[in-house]
Amino acid sequence: MDQKTLEEKTIICRCSDVTLKEVRDLIREGYTEPDEIKRILRTGMGPCQGRTCGPLILREVAIMTGRTIDEIVPFTYRPPSKGIKMGAIAKGGELNDK
Amino acid sequence: MINKANVVIVGGGISGVSIAYNLAKKGMKDIVVIEKKYLASGATGRCGAGVRAQWGTEMNCRIAHESIKFYEKANENLNYERDIDFKQGGYLILATTKKEKEQFEKNLKLQNRLGIPSKMISSEEAKKIVPYLNTEDVVVATYCPIDGHINPFKATDAYALAAEKLGVKIYKYTEVLDIVIEDGEIKKVVTDKGDIETDIIVNAAGGYAKQIAEMVGVDLPVFSERHQILVTEPVEEMLGPMVMSFSKNLYCQQTPEGSFIMGRSGENEPTDMRITSSWDFLDKMAKTITHTLPPISELTVIRQWAGLYNITPDRQPIYGETKDVKGFFLAVGFSGRGFMVAPMTGLLIAEQIMGEENSIDISSLSLERFEKGELVFEPSVV
Ligand SMILES: Cc1cc2nc3c(=O)[nH]c(=O)nc-3n(C[C@H](O)[C@H](O)[C@H](O)COP(=O)(O)OP(=O)(O)OC[C@H]3O[C@@H](n4cnc5c(N)ncnc54)[C@H](O)[C@@H]3O)c2cc1C
């Protein structure tokens, strides 16, 4: 597989179906922060909340902008730490893991 | 960074980029937007981005209606290659009391006179729009098909890209630290990346509007209050309109990609710039929404977040140049609706800076109204 096909076929974010090519294109256009990429491509907005794509995007940004990972601000984590059904919360905070 | 500009706009939210775009379109050169983080990192990127023409005063109806007309064509107007995702499924506003119904009747008369296609509908008719709506406490509803909601990041992106094409310089990750004035006139903006000489500054700093105004010694009667919001996992299309109710204290939409986004106002929200999330919000939101839209019980909430409402005493924005500091323009205090009026915010402030007559009279929204005690009364605020 050539580089281009590889970029097009590699899925970075499974929740929002985003490819490596889309992420790299956006970084090239100047959206060089994970938070900026997220707001255009929805990477990290799906059910897994960036648990898979977060580290991958950090690495891409680091490579393409020549920064180290710890110089880049990752996605913010927000509650709930695990998805909960609205009905369960309404009934009084029962967890839906039964 | 350049060291001289004609206009410096503080804040890269929807207001700032809309003002920049409109100014550039009118031919103003050397415009700079300064944003301390990324674009839409303030209230804009945290908001519900609902847009409605259903207001209760002529001025607000016209500002909101004209803004909707712009958003309808924003992809073309701004030559945007992505899509601002305007889902124009209407706003369904639920009244639960007779008093609310009477107010809505008055509002509708005004809206219809101004060409806004809103109408009153019975709870049975509301059920035709949202079949699973629990109407047990609904007296009546209003529906306006041109209302809806938008993707706020992409709307900001669209304006920013269009502004940059017209020559506007946007400095992200740059913070305004101070403003230097001499004899009541603006001299320069001090940022953490250098100084920019200018005569004109626009304060479009959202939740930080008060702090920016303090830099020139102007005291704004505003405060910033946390407002919370949440999103569920995406599901198949099952809700067309934005469902909202003042008396039930809720709004709820389904975005084009399938997630439900909803919010409500809290009773004791902090006003110290905090944008953390609380369990109390999640709990009350879940109880309110599952009562009104029962199938939402089955949806999984995946994230909650918060942003700031910049609130004025009459919950109306403050627009225009300050009397005390020449060249200092305000586009602040949107009190929870700055997104839906942003196209007109941009146009109206640009007109004022260019010395043109405003296309909608907004003189009643000047800062001086508070000194004079001439507050604006708008019955349709959340
Ligand atoms: C939960 C929630 C829901 C909402 N729902 C709606 C809705 O449905 N419809 C609607 O119309 N409105 C809604 N609003 C209100 C709306 O979000 C705001 O009124 C609007 O986004 C304001 O835009 P703005 O550009 O004026 O401010 P902001 O988007 O806050 O932008 C101001 C920018 O200024 C920057 N800044 C601040 N200080 C400095 C500094 N010193 N130097 C450089 N930059 C600085 C900030 O980083 C920020 O990005 C909602 C708000 C919240 C919080």
Side-chain angles (χ1 to χ4, degrees):
Chain A
M1 231 192 287
D2 60 17
Q3 181 67 22
K4 192 164 156 275
T5 325
L6 189 78
E7 282 190 1
E8 280 167 2
K9 290 235 156 99
T10 309
I11 302 290
I12 288 270
C13 163
R14 285 180 296 202
C15 299
S16 306
D17 201 17
V18 177
T19 65
L20 179 59
K21 179 173 189 312
E22 289 175 279
V23 171
R24 287 190 175 162
D25 283 350
L26 213 58
I27 298 173
R28 271 185 219 109
E29 279 178 46
Y31 300 79
T32 53
E33 304 302 320
D35 269 323
E36 295 182 297
I37 296 165
K38 170 178 176 179
R39 278 156 185 79
I40 299 289
L41 294 178
R42 310 192 59 79
T43 44
M45 285 193 183
C48 93
Q49 288 292 296
R51 277 173 189 81
T52 312
C53 66
L56 298 175
I57 287 175
L58 265 182
R59 210 194 54 176
E60 282 306 315
V61 166
I63 294 169
M64 290 182 67
T65 62
R67 288 179 288 171
T68 59
I69 300 266
D70 55 275
E71 287 170 335
I72 304 165
V73 181
F75 299 147
T76 313
Y77 285 93
R78 285 274 198 175
S81 51
K82 190 163 179 277
I84 325 171
K85 278 201 176 152
M86 291 294 278
I89 303 166
K91 267 190 257 141
E94 231 179 275
L95 285 170
N96 68 339
D97 56 358
K98 38 179 184 309
Chain B
M1 191 158 88
I2 62 167
N3 54 21
K4 215 168 174 321
N6 285 325
V7 182
V8 174
I9 298 162
V10 186
I14 193 75
S15 304
V17 294
S18 172
I19 294 165
Y21 166 77
N22 278 281
L23 266 176
K25 211 173 151 234
K26 286 186 177 296
M28 176 65 83
K29 301 276 174 258
D30 295 322
I31 304 163
V32 168
V33 177
I34 299 181
E35 166 53 51
K36 69 176 172 188
K37 286 174 81 187
Y38 51 93
L39 295 180
S41 57
T44 300
R46 301 166 183 282
C47 81
V51 297
R52 63 176 156 109
Q54 299 187 66
W55 287 93
T57 63
E58 173 157 351
M59 178 176 64
N60 285 336
C61 284
R62 291 182 60 205
I63 291 175
H65 192 192
E66 289 306 315
S67 294
I68 287 178
K69 288 186 200 161
F70 181 87
Y71 276 137
E72 281 175 345
K73 296 204 173 68
N75 291 329
E76 297 96 88
N77 287 344
L78 301 172
N79 253 315
Y80 191 47
E81 282 170 18
R82 291 182 268 264
D83 185 349
I84 68 158
D85 296 339
F86 190 177
K87 179 167 164 185
Q88 221 167 359
Y91 253 63
L92 182 65
I93 307 184
L94 312 172
T96 61
T97 63
K98 234 184 107 219
K99 209 175 136 222
E100 222 181 345
K101 180 183 173 208
E102 283 161 14
Q103 183 61 54
F104 285 4
E105 279 165 353
K106 279 188 215 152
N107 295 354
L108 284 173
K109 251 188 219 148
L110 169 73
Q111 291 159 10
N112 295 163
R113 176 167 69 73
L114 297 168
I116 295 165
S118 47
K119 57 180 194 242
M120 184 146 302
I121 61 176
S122 65
S123 44
E124 290 74 40
E125 287 168 308
K127 265 178 154 341
K128 286 197 187 121
I129 300 171
V130 183
Y132 47 86
L133 178 72
N134 177 2
T135 52
E136 83 191 6
D137 52 358
V138 175
V139 176
V140 82
T142 65
Y143 179 70
C144 177
I146 63 168
D147 297 348
H149 48 88
I150 292 171
N151 179 322
F153 315 120
K154 290 203 189 151
T156 307
D157 188 47
Y159 266 120
L161 292 174
E164 283 180 323
K165 267 189 213 135
L166 294 171
V168 172
K169 293 215 165 51
I170 301 180
Y171 294 108
K172 296 180 292 186
Y173 295 94
T174 303
E175 185 171 355
V176 171
L177 302 175
D178 201 5
I179 296 168
V180 178
I181 54 171
E182 275 166 29
D183 307 322
E185 283 185 25
I186 288 169
K187 289 289 162 213
K188 65 178 182 182
V189 176
V190 180
T191 82
D192 59 353
K193 306 264 166 70
D195 298 357
I196 305 176
E197 278 177 45
T198 185
D199 299 332
I200 301 175
I201 292 178
V202 183
N203 179 355
Y208 291 82
K210 194 177 177 72
Q211 286 73 6
I212 299 298
E214 271 166 12
M215 294 176 184
V216 298
V218 168
D219 182 26
L220 295 184
V222 296
F223 64 97
S224 291
E225 182 179 82
R226 180 180 73 180
H227 277 250
Q228 302 191 60
I229 181 163
L230 65 80
V231 64
T232 72
E233 63 188 335
V235 289
E236 71 286 357
E237 165 83 29
M238 55 186 274
L239 182 66
M242 173 86 96
V243 175
M244 182 189 131
S245 176
F246 300 104
S247 49
K248 289 160 86 87
N249 185 6
L250 65 88
Y251 62 86
C252 177
Q253 61 173 277
Q254 187 179 22
T255 63
E257 102 291 342
S259 309
F260 277 71
I261 290 183
M262 61 194 81
R264 69 189 293 283
S265 301
E267 285 70 28
N268 290 303
E269 288 292 324
T271 54
D272 57 3
M273 315 304 267
R274 225 184 303 170
I275 49 168
T276 48
S277 301
S278 76
W279 171 262
D280 186 58
F281 164 74
L282 195 56
D283 182 48
K284 293 213 172 77
M285 187 76 241
K287 290 194 168 90
T288 333
I289 204 72
T290 56
H291 178 258
T292 306
L293 300 168
I296 287 183
S297 299
E298 288 306 309
L299 301 187
T300 298
V301 49
I302 56 174
R303 188 181 184 88
Q304 56 177 128
W305 69 93
L308 300 173
Y309 272 27
N310 190 238
I311 300 179
T312 62
D314 57 6
R315 301 208 162 223
Q316 303 300 309
I318 309 175
Y319 281 138
E321 189 174 13
T322 57
K323 221 177 48 210
D324 296 337
V325 182
K326 200 170 150 273
F328 191 65
F329 287 79
L330 302 168
V332 305
F334 291 105
S335 310
R337 63 155 186 285
F339 184 81
M340 69 178 81
V341 298
M344 286 311 283
T345 297
L347 180 69
L348 294 165
I349 299 296
E351 286 169 348
Q352 292 188 350
I353 292 173
M354 301 300 285
E356 298 169 9
E357 199 187 323
N358 269 141
S359 41
I360 296 175
D361 182 10
I362 47 165
S363 52
S364 62
L365 295 178
S366 72
L367 176 61
E368 282 69 53
R369 74 177 184 274
F370 303 107
E371 252 169 53
K372 296 188 205 143
E374 291 169 356
L375 302 201
V376 177
F377 176 69
E378 163 59 66
S380 294
V381 285
V382 194

